[in-house]
Amino acid sequence: MSSSQESVFSEYETDTSQTSKLLRKFKETPFVPIGMAGFAMVVGYGLYRLKHRGDMKMSLHLIHMRVAAQGFVVGAITCGVLYSMFREHVFKPKE
């Protein structure tokens, strides 16, 4: 193995706890937890509104909640991709 590969592996091996690995991943890709939290909020809101939906059909309510949850996740993924592209191409130091 080359020295550069050894340094990468040793960096990952030093973080042994699950929380430190999770926090490191969240720092590398910050929009993933935002998308997961938004999805959970939409599902929670959908469950709350399920009880108070009035005369709306169940299938229509579920379709609306599915579209809202998917829209939030796709929006978060799109923002994450744009953020990483911006970070790589604008803030990348010139070599």
Side-chain angles (χ1 to χ4, degrees), residues 37-52:
F39 176 77
M41 287 182 354
V42 168
V43 167
Y45 177 74
L47 290 174
Y48 170 75
R49 292 292 300 165
L50 184 65
K51 187 174 183 180
H52 306 290

Side-chain angles (χ1 to χ4, degrees), residues 49-80:
R49 292 292 300 165
L50 184 65
K51 187 174 183 180
H52 306 290
R53 72 180 187 273
D55 60 350
M56 183 187 290
K57 289 185 177 181
M58 172 74 91
S59 62
L60 187 61
H61 174 74
L62 292 176
I63 288 171
H64 286 171
M65 290 300 109
R66 179 185 62 92
V67 169
Q70 284 179 335
F72 197 93
V73 170
V74 168
I77 290 171
T78 303
C79 289

Side-chain angles (χ1 to χ4, degrees), residues 2-94:
S2 69
S3 62
S4 64
Q5 287 178 344
E6 289 173 2
S7 66
V8 171
F9 291 137
S10 65
E11 176 186 338
Y12 285 108
E13 290 172 358
T14 57
D15 294 335
T16 56
S17 70
Q18 293 294 327
T19 46
S20 64
K21 288 180 184 178
L22 187 65
L23 289 174
R24 182 175 39 87
K25 279 294 192 185
F26 283 170
K27 287 179 184 176
E28 291 174 3
T29 56
F31 285 95
V32 171
I34 293 171
M36 290 167 52
F39 176 77
M41 287 182 354
V42 168
V43 167
Y45 177 74
L47 290 174
Y48 170 75
R49 292 292 300 165
L50 184 65
K51 187 174 183 180
H52 306 290
R53 72 180 187 273
D55 60 350
M56 183 187 290
K57 289 185 177 181
M58 172 74 91
S59 62
L60 187 61
H61 174 74
L62 292 176
I63 288 171
H64 286 171
M65 290 300 109
R66 179 185 62 92
V67 169
Q70 284 179 335
F72 197 93
V73 170
V74 168
I77 290 171
T78 303
C79 289
V81 168
L82 291 174
Y83 173 74
S84 66
M85 287 174 55
F86 182 76
R87 189 175 59 187
E88 282 183 21
H89 296 292
V90 174
F91 291 130
K92 185 176 183 180
K94 299 192 180 203

